């Protein structure tokens, strides 16, 4: 490992100042540490957010579930509050990586990184969540802007994510066996604003599917998905799965998610 400065601030304001000065934020490190080892990232200083207790925790505020950015995957998966309020979110967190990854990885780190095959972005987008930063609030539909790209500006940190409570929610994921990332993951949510469907692993970033949302708005059943056309020309193909296979997986995983949501 090459030399760099290591900072571990005790207050959010101090962390923001160090990051604004050119430091690289370190949350769970599940992507960043590997990038450092491969020299894909070479920051002069790392700003460890692990001591910022104000960025962790889960609480219910009215019709919203607020989860701190530094909350670990395992806590989301095991939270009774999450299981009762947004069960699909708890299920999703429990399917990320393995136990070691879930013990270290964080909600904010995953969302800020916006890996095109990561699980959390699909929940944020499908639930129509709001990303809270140290500067502003950003709607999910405006936050994700493509592969590893978000609306975050220089020196801007996610502090929490506000998830609207869902009447029904579920996540179904077809794993890549080695990495356990999603070849295709589908999050379905039935909320007061209607049905939203978000897909990860199949494109250059997480995306919603209007056809699936329209069909499920009419009938929230697995059968309603059968008549929806998934255009493979808009999907990724690689050594793990062709675009046509991913198109079929989207339909299958959507049906499984709906079945789970209906209990």
């Amino acid at each position: 490992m090459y030399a760099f400065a290591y900072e571990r601030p005790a207050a959010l304001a101090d962390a923001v100042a160090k990051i604004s000065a050119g430091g690289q934020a370190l949350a769970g490190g599940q992507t960043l540490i590997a990038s450092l080892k491969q020299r894909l990232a070479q920051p002069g200083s790392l700003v460890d957010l692990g001591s910022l207790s104000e960025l962790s925790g889960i609480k219910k505020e009215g019709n919203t579930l607020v989860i701190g950015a530094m909350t670990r995957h395992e806590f989301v998966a095991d939270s009774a509050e999450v299981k009762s309020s947004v069960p699909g979110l708890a299920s999703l967190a429990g399917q990320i990586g393995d136990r070691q990854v879930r013990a270290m990885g964080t909600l904010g780190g995953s969302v800020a990184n916006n890996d095109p095959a990561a699980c959390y972005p699909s929940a944020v987008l499908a639930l129509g969540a709001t990303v809270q930063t140290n500067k502003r609030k950003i709607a999910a539909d405006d936050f994700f802007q493509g592969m590893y790209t978000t609306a975050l500006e220089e020196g801007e940190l996610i502090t929490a994510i506000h998830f609207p409570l869902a009447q029904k929610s579920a996540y179904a994921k077809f794993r890549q066996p080695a990495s356990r990332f999603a070849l295709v993951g589908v999050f379905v949510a039935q909320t007061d604003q209607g049905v939203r469907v978000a897909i990860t692993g199949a494109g250059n970033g997480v995306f919603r599917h209007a056809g699936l949302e329209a069909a499920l708005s009419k009938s929230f059943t697995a059968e309603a998905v059968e008549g929806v056309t998934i255009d493979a020309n808009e999907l990724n193909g690689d050594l793990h799965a062709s675009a046509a296979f991913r198109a079929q997986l989207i339909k299958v995983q959507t049906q499984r998610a709906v079945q789970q949501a209906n209990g």
Side-chain angles (χ1 to χ4, degrees), residues 17-150:
K18 293 181 185 301
I19 291 167
S20 297
Q24 170 65 55
L26 172 64
Q30 299 309 288
T31 296
L32 180 57
I33 298 301
S35 298
L36 294 177
K37 291 178 178 179
Q38 297 175 63
R39 300 297 195 271
L40 296 175
Q42 299 186 43
S45 66
L46 289 185
V47 184
D48 190 343
L49 307 179
S51 293
L52 304 181
S53 58
E54 60 198 290
L55 298 186
S56 297
I58 300 170
K59 60 183 178 181
K60 191 174 180 181
E61 293 183 352
N63 292 323
T64 304
L65 192 67
V66 182
I67 304 180
M70 284 297 291
T71 305
R72 311 287 178 177
H73 305 327
E74 65 177 1
F75 291 109
V76 177
D78 295 339
S79 168
E81 190 74 82
V82 179
K83 289 179 179 178
S84 63
S85 301
V86 192
L89 185 58
S91 173
L92 177 150
Q95 297 180 55
I96 296 175
D98 53 30
R99 292 183 66 182
Q100 290 176 305
V101 169
R102 292 192 292 273
M104 289 299 295
T106 65
L107 169 62
S110 174
V111 173
N113 188 50
N114 193 23
D115 188 295
C119 299
Y120 267 130
S122 67
V124 174
L125 189 57
L127 289 164
T130 299
V131 179
Q132 175 75 60
T133 77
N134 59 304
K135 296 181 178 180
R136 56 184 170 146
K137 293 182 178 179
I138 310 171
D141 287 320
D142 300 323
F143 184 82
F144 301 106
Q145 299 183 350
M147 185 180 295
Y148 299 108
T149 307
T150 71

Side-chain angles (χ1 to χ4, degrees), residues 88-89 91-92 95 117-119 121-123 126 169-175 182-189 195-202 206-209 212-213 216 220 225 230 246-258 260-261:
L89 185 58
S91 173
L92 177 150
Q95 297 180 55
C119 299
S122 67
S169 65
Y171 179 66
K173 172 182 176 181
F174 191 93
R175 296 178 179 85
L183 276 179
V184 167
V186 180
F187 198 105
V188 299
V195 175
R196 291 169 65 105
V197 179
I199 300 161
T200 187
V206 64
F207 63 94
R208 293 171 60 189
H209 195 282
L212 289 170
E213 291 180 349
L216 292 173
F220 197 75
V225 177
I230 309 295
R246 280 190 166 92
Q248 180 61 21
L249 276 179
I250 288 173
K251 295 186 74 167
V252 172
Q253 298 307 107
T254 302
Q255 289 176 314
R256 290 177 178 174
V258 170
Q260 292 175 30

Side-chain angles (χ1 to χ4, degrees), residues 156-193:
E156 189 170 18
L157 283 177
I158 298 175
T159 57
I161 298 180
H162 300 248
F163 293 93
L165 303 189
Q167 298 161 9
K168 294 180 180 180
S169 65
Y171 179 66
K173 172 182 176 181
F174 191 93
R175 296 178 179 85
Q176 199 285 337
S179 68
R180 303 192 186 182
F181 274 97
L183 276 179
V184 167
V186 180
F187 198 105
V188 299
Q190 189 176 54
T191 70
D192 293 338
Q193 287 70 47

